[in-house]
Amino acid sequence: MAALARWCVRHRLLAVLLWLLALGGATTAAAVAGSAYSNDYEVPGTESGRATQLLDKGFHGLGGDSDTVVWHTAGPGGSVRAADVERTMTGALGKIADLPAVASVTSPYDSQSASQVSRDGRTAYATVTFREQADDIDRADAQRVVDTAKAAESDGLEVELGGTAIGLTESKSAQVAEIVGIAVAAVVLFLAFGSLAASALPIATALVSVGTAYAGIVLLGQVMTVADFAPMLGTLIGLGVGIDYALFIVTRHRKGLKRGLPVAEAAERAVATTGRAVVFAGATVCIALLGMLILRLSFLNGVAIAASLTVVLTVAASVTLLPALLSWIGPRALSRRERRRLAEHGPAPELPTGLAARWAAFVERHPKLLGAAAVLVMAVLALPTFALHLGTSDQGNNPASATTRQAYDLLADGFGPGVNGPLTLVSEVYGAGDRNALNDLGTTLRSTEGVASVSPATYAESGRTAFLTVVPDSAPQSKETSDLVDRLRDDVLPAVEADSSLDVAVGGVTASYDDFAEIIIAKLPLFVGVVIGLGCVLLLLAFRSVGIPLKAAVMNVAAVASAFGVVVAIFQWGWGSELLGLGAAGPIEPFLPVIMVSVLFGLSMDYQVFLVSRMYEEWLETGDNRRAVRVGLAETSRVINSAAVIMISVFLAFVLSGDRVIAMFGIALAAAVALDAFVLRTLLVPALMHMLGGANWWLPRRLDRLLPRISIEPPESRSDAGGARATIPRRRANAAPHEDVSGPEEQERDVRDIAGRGR
């Protein structure tokens, strides 16, 4: 690391130009290639996946994307069959049918489509079939359909549109969220550093690396399945960790300058020491993210690789681009007051002062009380997690002002909630007997509990494949619809299949989502076990302790559970979701637990390493656990809190993106980081470590001999890690290695000494 930093400092112009060239080249290539995202929830081997394969085989994918134009008449006596309404909407549908991207339009005014008019005659809908699937439809083509339909609106006639392609016109940009998050981060950095130049560097480094990664994710979508939210998720994670990683390195660089080191040497040492910790933390984030690959789901594979790519580039920029920029700004990494003090009084160590030192002493005096309070907070916030309902949101969860949400509501009100999520029953047909069995199946389905209507069987041109459309009497996201899927698969269909050669597969949106969620839930214990186990091994190697990794694992699980409690309350129970512009209450995305566990376990490793490594240093030097915990917390809490505030601000800013999935990630990660930093790392962890005493650092001798030794920071860095330890009395020469000799009076004197000398 030292050699890399030295090269970047000596060739700073070349280092900066190489990064700008990478950013420009990747952006240009992405613009030329275009995006090719795909939200494919189908899982091979599931029943819904088999239904999709049968449809593709027999009906060639059923053409392009199918969307709806819905209109509703208001006022007394209004009817969609009125002559003026029929004339207006027939003209609008004709114009839509003439658009180049549209293959066909099925109007409710055709004799064979009378079922597309509601019973009260106030609502009707037309089906618009595009020539391509939604992933291949240009947003401008979808917008033309929206504009043409909306032009037919008038007093008493409301026109709304729904469907996947129409949803493209409502896709939100993350630009506002990025600007807000970066602005808040800039303010926090300026308050922490007091230097405009030093505050700008973490943001510049993060922007360059995240911009390059964003373009890389666009290119990645050309060769594998990448969800459309992957770039925004990568940006969210990249800005958070990128600014934080740079913050840690700039903080160490500033300490070096205050000790009188030349600019180049301070930058090199910062990368050689804290830079190694950043690489370690970034590697754990990537490993946790890539753990999603063990689930063997193509939908999550793309998300994992895209997010990992972003983290890799942010780490690379932190240890290459950042030292080059630090050497460029020179002493201006310090504020004017700090530079003046350095010139007048000479080098001086930076000591923990004020609140940080007093808080460390307060936790030491009341570990049981504060530990119990922290556990209570985490437990209360985690309670809603027990009501977690995994499912996939649809356009019924969009903001109330969205045309897709209004079309969804109009269809539900006019035709019943199930019309927004019909089930598709598909089977191969081998003869007349199977055709008769399908007719009998239709009759049976009409009398099945939970079924609102059943369409006649539709046969492929070959006559070898057929499907029936079943409309539930409940909403797509409701438990009743999921129960209907299970009832069809477990009870209704086996009875029909037993008397024929039919093999009917239940597909459709709800069935696909349920199958996807079941696969995730089944594999989640294995995934969480692998991620936790890997994290424990890394911490075991780094800190030579059994207790440290076990506590970290429990803390991570607690942070995830409490964060999910917040998510359930806001998104599933709807506590404030409409006020935040996030739409109606609905289920939690089934992939959220997996991605949350991956990201959080990686991010929390940053704080764990930064906090415990300083405690471990003091423990190795003094053998005094209470002093080690007190000094470690006093010296690191300010940086941890600053980093947490930045990350929370960036994550929360993405609520402004208007995308429900991204907002869900933003709130979940912000809640998790806040609880991890302010409740767990700076309260519960030190409280537990005070109560456990020397047992924190216990490791069986045989295991100690077997384990390889790794160092997050090289030993020589301990001489400049901070000056506070020199002011604290060492353990007495005749004290046992694990004996704690500090009494309350000595602790108070230590804290006053640190605080007083730091002023």
Side-chain angles (χ1 to χ4, degrees), residues 313-482:
L313 289 177
T314 56
V315 171
S318 297
V319 298
T320 56
L321 176 61
L322 183 58
L325 295 176
L326 285 172
S327 66
W328 215 314
I329 67 171
R332 286 178 296 168
L334 300 177
S335 67
R336 291 181 179 178
R337 179 182 299 178
E338 290 169 333
R339 295 199 300 270
R340 185 166 54 250
R341 183 185 304 158
L342 182 63
E344 294 175 356
H345 303 289
E350 187 176 33
L351 304 176
T353 60
L355 182 61
R358 290 195 295 271
W359 175 254
F362 183 71
V363 173
E364 183 179 9
R365 290 195 302 270
H366 309 284
K368 294 182 180 179
L369 176 62
L370 295 176
V375 170
L376 180 62
V377 169
M378 300 300 291
V380 170
L381 291 177
L383 287 177
T385 305
F386 293 100
L388 177 66
H389 169 52
L390 295 181
T392 302
S393 58
D394 55 28
Q395 293 179 341
N397 300 113
N398 288 353
S401 60
T403 186
T404 49
R405 165 72 179 277
Q406 295 181 32
Y408 187 101
D409 292 342
L410 287 175
L411 285 173
D413 293 340
F415 300 89
V419 74
N420 285 299
L423 304 176
T424 306
L425 277 59
V426 194
S427 177
E428 291 185 306
V429 180
Y430 296 100
D434 288 345
R435 288 175 176 260
N436 293 332
L438 279 177
N439 293 333
D440 294 340
L441 174 60
T443 302
T444 302
L445 289 172
R446 291 182 182 91
S447 61
T448 300
E449 178 187 357
V451 174
S453 64
V454 181
S455 71
T458 301
Y459 293 88
E461 293 182 2
S462 64
R464 295 293 301 274
T465 308
F467 72 89
L468 297 88
T469 300
V470 176
V471 177
D473 61 12
S474 52
Q477 299 173 358
S478 68
K479 185 178 184 299
E480 289 78 7
T481 304
S482 297

Side-chain angles (χ1 to χ4, degrees), residues 382-607:
L383 287 177
T385 305
F386 293 100
L388 177 66
H389 169 52
L390 295 181
T392 302
S393 58
D394 55 28
Q395 293 179 341
N397 300 113
N398 288 353
S401 60
T403 186
T404 49
R405 165 72 179 277
Q406 295 181 32
Y408 187 101
D409 292 342
L410 287 175
L411 285 173
D413 293 340
F415 300 89
V419 74
N420 285 299
L423 304 176
T424 306
L425 277 59
V426 194
S427 177
E428 291 185 306
V429 180
Y430 296 100
D434 288 345
R435 288 175 176 260
N436 293 332
L438 279 177
N439 293 333
D440 294 340
L441 174 60
T443 302
T444 302
L445 289 172
R446 291 182 182 91
S447 61
T448 300
E449 178 187 357
V451 174
S453 64
V454 181
S455 71
T458 301
Y459 293 88
E461 293 182 2
S462 64
R464 295 293 301 274
T465 308
F467 72 89
L468 297 88
T469 300
V470 176
V471 177
D473 61 12
S474 52
Q477 299 173 358
S478 68
K479 185 178 184 299
E480 289 78 7
T481 304
S482 297
D483 292 341
L484 175 60
V485 173
D486 295 336
R487 190 179 307 118
L488 294 177
R489 289 174 172 176
D490 299 338
D491 301 327
V492 177
L493 296 180
V496 175
E497 293 169 347
D499 299 329
S500 66
S501 58
L502 292 177
D503 184 10
V504 184
V506 180
V509 176
T510 301
S512 298
Y513 291 165
D514 286 351
D515 289 345
F516 185 76
E518 288 180 5
I519 293 294
I520 292 288
I521 293 171
K523 295 184 177 182
L524 193 58
L526 171 64
F527 169 74
V528 173
V530 169
V531 173
I532 291 178
L534 182 59
C536 286
V537 169
L538 291 174
L539 291 176
L540 177 66
L541 295 176
F543 298 114
R544 321 297 295 181
S545 163
V546 174
I548 297 298
L550 290 180
K551 284 198 294 288
V554 173
M555 299 298 171
N556 288 338
V557 172
V560 170
S562 299
F564 267 110
V566 175
V567 170
V568 168
I570 294 176
F571 291 93
Q572 185 177 314
W573 294 351
W575 290 5
S577 60
E578 290 282 11
L579 292 176
L580 293 172
L582 303 176
I588 306 302
E589 304 293 334
F591 50 79
L592 184 69
V594 174
I595 300 178
M596 267 288 296
V597 169
S598 298
V599 175
L600 180 61
F601 272 57
L603 295 182
S604 64
M605 190 73 73
D606 300 357
Y607 301 145

